[in-house]
Coordinates of all heavy atoms in Angstrom, one line a residue:
R1 N 11.1 17.8 -75.6 CA 12.0 17.1 -74.7 C 13.0 17.9 -74.1 O 13.5 18.9 -74.7 CB 12.5 15.8 -75.4 CG 11.4 14.9 -76.0 CD 10.5 14.4 -75.0 NE 9.5 13.5 -75.6 CZ 8.3 13.2 -75.0 NH1 8.0 13.7 -73.8 NH2 7.5 12.4 -75.6
S2 N 13.5 17.5 -73.0 CA 14.6 18.2 -72.2 C 15.9 18.4 -73.0 O 16.3 17.5 -73.7 CB 14.8 17.6 -70.9 OG 15.3 16.3 -71.0
L3 N 16.5 19.5 -72.8 CA 17.8 19.8 -73.4 C 18.6 20.9 -72.6 O 17.9 21.8 -72.2 CB 17.6 20.2 -74.8 CG 18.9 20.2 -75.6 CD1 19.6 18.8 -75.8 CD2 18.7 20.9 -77.0
Y4 N 19.8 20.6 -72.3 CA 20.6 21.5 -71.5 C 22.0 21.7 -72.1 O 22.5 20.9 -72.8 CB 20.9 20.8 -70.1 CG 19.6 20.7 -69.3 CD1 18.8 19.6 -69.5 CD2 19.3 21.7 -68.3 CE1 17.6 19.5 -68.7 CE2 18.1 21.5 -67.6 CZ 17.3 20.5 -67.8 OH 16.1 20.3 -67.1
F5 N 22.6 22.9 -71.9 CA 23.9 23.2 -72.2 C 24.7 23.6 -71.0 O 24.2 24.1 -70.1 CB 24.0 24.3 -73.3 CG 23.6 25.7 -72.8 CD1 24.5 26.6 -72.3 CD2 22.2 26.1 -72.9 CE1 24.1 27.9 -72.0 CE2 21.8 27.3 -72.5 CZ 22.7 28.2 -72.1
S6 N 26.0 23.3 -71.1 CA 26.9 23.6 -69.9 C 27.3 25.0 -69.8 O 27.5 25.8 -70.8 CB 28.1 22.7 -70.0 OG 28.9 22.9 -71.1
T7 N 27.5 25.5 -68.5 CA 28.1 26.8 -68.2 C 29.5 26.8 -68.6 O 30.2 25.7 -68.7 CB 27.9 27.0 -66.7 OG1 26.5 27.1 -66.4 CG2 28.6 28.3 -66.3
R8 N 30.1 27.9 -69.0 CA 31.5 28.0 -69.4 C 32.3 27.4 -68.3 O 32.1 27.6 -67.0 CB 31.9 29.5 -69.6 CG 31.5 30.1 -70.9 CD 31.9 31.5 -71.0 NE 33.4 31.7 -70.6 CZ 34.3 31.8 -71.6 NH1 34.0 31.8 -72.8 NH2 35.6 31.9 -71.2
V9 N 33.3 26.6 -68.7 CA 34.0 25.8 -67.7 C 34.9 26.8 -66.8 O 35.0 26.4 -65.6 CB 35.0 24.9 -68.4 CG1 36.0 24.2 -67.4 CG2 34.2 23.7 -69.1
D10 N 35.4 27.9 -67.3 CA 36.2 28.7 -66.4 C 35.3 29.3 -65.3 O 35.8 29.4 -64.1 CB 36.9 29.8 -67.2 CG 36.0 30.6 -68.1 OD1 34.8 30.2 -68.3 OD2 36.4 31.7 -68.6
K11 N 34.1 29.7 -65.6 CA 33.2 30.1 -64.6 C 32.8 29.1 -63.6 O 32.7 29.3 -62.4 CB 31.9 30.8 -65.3 CG 32.1 32.0 -66.1 CD 30.8 32.5 -66.7 CE 31.1 33.7 -67.5 NZ 29.8 34.3 -68.1
L12 N 32.5 27.9 -64.1 CA 32.2 26.8 -63.3 C 33.3 26.3 -62.3 O 33.2 26.0 -61.2 CB 31.8 25.6 -64.1 CG 30.8 24.5 -63.5 CD1 29.6 25.2 -62.8 CD2 30.4 23.5 -64.5
A13 N 34.6 26.4 -62.9 CA 35.7 26.0 -62.0 C 35.9 27.0 -60.9 O 36.3 26.7 -59.8 CB 37.0 26.0 -62.9
A14 N 35.6 28.3 -61.2 CA 35.7 29.3 -60.0 C 34.6 29.0 -59.0 O 34.9 29.3 -57.8 CB 35.5 30.7 -60.7
L15 N 33.4 28.5 -59.4 CA 32.4 28.2 -58.5 C 32.7 26.9 -57.7 O 32.3 26.8 -56.5 CB 31.1 28.0 -59.2 CG 30.3 29.3 -59.7 CD1 29.1 28.9 -60.5 CD2 29.9 30.1 -58.6
H16 N 33.3 26.0 -58.3 CA 33.6 24.7 -57.7 C 35.0 24.3 -57.9 O 35.4 23.4 -58.7 CB 32.7 23.6 -58.4 CG 31.3 23.9 -58.3 ND1 30.6 23.6 -57.1 CD2 30.4 24.4 -59.1 CE1 29.3 23.9 -57.2 NE2 29.2 24.4 -58.5
P17 N 36.0 25.0 -57.2 CA 37.4 24.7 -57.4 C 37.8 23.3 -56.9 O 38.8 22.8 -57.3 CB 38.1 25.7 -56.5 CG 37.1 26.1 -55.5 CD 35.8 26.0 -56.3
E18 N 36.9 22.6 -56.1 CA 37.2 21.3 -55.6 C 37.0 20.2 -56.7 O 37.4 19.0 -56.5 CB 36.4 21.0 -54.4 CG 34.9 20.7 -54.6 CD 34.0 21.9 -55.0 OE1 34.6 23.1 -55.0 OE2 32.9 21.7 -55.3
V19 N 36.3 20.5 -57.8 CA 35.9 19.5 -58.8 C 37.1 19.5 -59.8 O 37.3 20.3 -60.7 CB 34.6 19.8 -59.5 CG1 34.3 18.8 -60.5 CG2 33.5 20.0 -58.5
E20 N 38.0 18.4 -59.7 CA 39.2 18.3 -60.4 C 38.9 18.3 -61.9 O 39.7 18.9 -62.7 CB 40.0 17.1 -59.9 CG 40.5 17.2 -58.5 CD 41.3 16.0 -58.2 OE1 41.6 15.1 -59.1 OE2 41.7 15.8 -57.0
V21 N 37.9 17.6 -62.4 CA 37.7 17.4 -63.8 C 37.5 18.7 -64.5 O 37.9 18.9 -65.7 CB 36.5 16.4 -64.1 CG1 35.2 17.1 -63.6 CG2 36.5 16.0 -65.5
L22 N 37.0 19.7 -63.8 CA 36.8 21.0 -64.5 C 38.0 21.7 -64.9 O 38.1 22.5 -65.8 CB 36.0 21.9 -63.5 CG 34.6 21.5 -63.1 CD1 33.9 22.4 -62.1 CD2 33.7 21.4 -64.4
H23 N 39.2 21.4 -64.2 CA 40.5 22.0 -64.5 C 41.2 21.2 -65.6 O 42.2 21.7 -66.1 CB 41.3 22.0 -63.3 CG 40.7 22.7 -62.1 ND1 40.7 24.1 -62.1 CD2 40.0 22.3 -61.0 CE1 40.1 24.5 -61.0 NE2 39.6 23.4 -60.3
E24 N 40.6 20.0 -66.0 CA 41.2 19.2 -67.0 C 40.5 19.5 -68.4 O 41.1 19.3 -69.5 CB 41.0 17.7 -66.7 CG 41.6 17.2 -65.4 CD 41.2 15.9 -65.1 OE1 40.5 15.2 -65.9 OE2 41.5 15.4 -63.9
L25 N 39.4 20.1 -68.4 CA 38.6 20.3 -69.6 C 39.0 21.4 -70.5 O 39.0 21.3 -71.8 CB 37.1 20.4 -69.3 CG 36.4 19.2 -68.7 CD1 35.0 19.6 -68.3 CD2 36.4 18.0 -69.7
G26 N 39.5 22.4 -70.0 CA 39.9 23.6 -70.8 C 38.7 24.5 -70.9 O 37.5 24.1 -70.9

């Protein structure tokens, strides 16, 4: 069955600076 893990938040925030929640997660 399907399973996923998230990309490091700092890398993701650099890709998507407009997504506010990424800056809240740490």
Side-chain angles (χ1 to χ4, degrees):
R1 301 301 179 198
S2 59
L3 191 64
Y4 294 83
F5 65 94
S6 60
T7 298
R8 281 179 55 99
V9 171
D10 54 348
K11 294 181 179 179
L12 202 53
L15 287 173
H16 300 280
E18 76 285 358
V19 181
E20 293 182 7
V21 67
L22 296 176
H23 303 282
E24 301 170 7
L25 292 175

